[in-house]
Amino acid sequence: MPQDSKPPAWQAAETRDWIAYYDRVAGGEPRETLKLALGKFDDEREPGRSRPGPLAIDLGCGDGRDTAELIRRNWRVLAIDDHPEGLRRLRERSDADIKAALADGRLEIREQSFVQVELPACDLLNASFALPFCPPEQFAALWVKIVRAIEPAGRFAGQLFGDRDSWSIIEDRTHHTRDQAIALFDDFILERFNEEERDGEDAMSNHKHWHVFHVVARKRS
Ligand SMILES: C[S@@+](CC[C@H](N)C(=O)[O-])C[C@H]1O[C@@H](n2cnc3c(N)ncnc32)[C@H](O)[C@@H]1O
């Protein structure tokens, strides 16, 4: 990698300036992987029978662009992140009725890290651009919890970062080769596995070589 494209040390997940990140991405649309997964659930719904209260976990929810979409689409949501400012911004969102959802129990917000997180059984585990920030030595245990939490015929939606991504040299990040990423989904049918690789910029306008796997997967029943 050229010297000038080396990621600055502050980008390590532990010390990353997440508040500056939330400022930059404020107002962003829900992620495509989430929308695809929700469309798949809609396609499976029997006509005239709306399934009451499916539960989604939005892991690493940040300021809640995906949580807001889930609430708008009548899901129950457990939104988890370890950054209090992201969660504060989620509570203040005006693009979904977050306050009503909190009041009637449709939305629960938990400030928890990937290490300590406890994941109840869920229909959808959504983790948009979040899992690569789990330290590598803790990823396997987190993945076991994720797979266990997703009910049969439930789904995972989210991103993993590839081994050729610029950030793979940052020591507290988790990156996967394509084969390693696919192997994580042994218990699933892959409905979307898009490998994106391109030069571009990160949210803070730093040069970045992106190598990302965009995944929607249905757990075998
Ligand atoms: C790139 S943001 C993505 C936020 C949101 N999912 C989205 O798509 O916009 C990654 C999020 O992961 C959270 N995160 C990073 N490391 C974490 C950890 N160890 N435990 C819990 N959350 C973490 C950050 O606080 C941040 O909100």
Side-chain angles (χ1 to χ4, degrees):
M1 176 188 303
Q3 194 59 33
D4 62 1
S5 63
K6 194 169 177 219
W10 56 260
Q11 286 185 335
E14 270 287 295
T15 52
R16 185 169 173 157
D17 185 352
W18 286 115
I19 295 177
Y21 170 83
Y22 301 140
D23 286 344
R24 280 296 183 106
V25 302
E29 293 287 311
R31 303 291 185 181
E32 289 304 317
T33 38
L34 173 69
K35 290 196 283 188
L36 179 69
L38 293 180
K40 299 263 180 204
F41 281 108
D42 287 347
D43 291 346
E44 290 165 354
R45 192 172 292 160
E46 289 170 39
R49 264 195 74 202
S50 65
R51 203 166 144 241
L55 175 68
I57 298 175
D58 191 7
L59 186 57
C61 61
D63 66 353
R65 60 166 72 185
D66 286 350
T67 294
E69 177 70 358
L70 285 157
I71 293 297
R72 286 191 293 267
R73 291 173 71 154
N74 292 321
W75 282 66
R76 290 184 297 128
V77 186
L78 171 57
I80 301 172
D81 201 287
D82 73 350
H83 203 297
E85 177 59 16
L87 299 178
R88 189 193 68 74
R89 292 180 188 212
L90 166 56
R91 284 190 195 90
E92 297 301 317
R93 290 188 80 98
S94 56
D95 57 348
D97 206 346
I98 299 295
K99 288 189 173 57
L102 282 168
D104 68 18
R106 261 197 318 128
L107 172 61
E108 184 186 342
I109 296 176
R110 283 190 200 161
E111 186 181 321
Q112 271 186 338
S113 80
F114 296 145
V115 184
Q116 56 174 191
V117 76
E118 284 170 26
L119 301 174
C122 63
D123 301 278
L124 171 63
L125 190 305
N126 183 67
S128 294
F129 292 91
L131 297 182
F133 298 99
C134 178
E137 64 278 10
Q138 289 153 6
F139 185 86
L142 175 61
W143 190 252
V144 167
K145 289 189 216 175
I146 288 173
V147 173
R148 199 181 290 148
I150 299 171
E151 296 272 25
R155 286 186 169 84
F156 171 89
Q159 282 70 28
L160 298 163
F161 283 180
D163 56 322
R164 294 189 295 279
D165 190 278
S166 299
W167 291 349
S168 64
I169 61 168
I170 303 175
E171 60 185 18
D172 68 350
R173 298 291 173 85
T174 298
H175 289 248
H176 296 89
T177 65
R178 180 185 173 90
D179 286 349
Q180 288 168 339
I182 289 174
L184 291 173
F185 294 95
D186 273 356
D187 295 340
F188 294 77
I189 295 161
L190 288 169
E191 297 176 311
R192 169 70 54 91
F193 189 89
N194 273 4
E195 182 171 5
E196 178 187 8
E197 186 159 8
R198 62 177 173 86
D199 286 316
E201 292 186 342
D202 67 9
M204 308 309 296
S205 304
N206 298 304
H207 170 80
K208 182 173 191 278
H209 183 75
W210 288 93
H211 184 205
V212 186
F213 305 110
H214 302 273
V215 185
V216 175
R218 185 179 196 266
K219 195 168 179 190
R220 295 176 201 280
S221 33

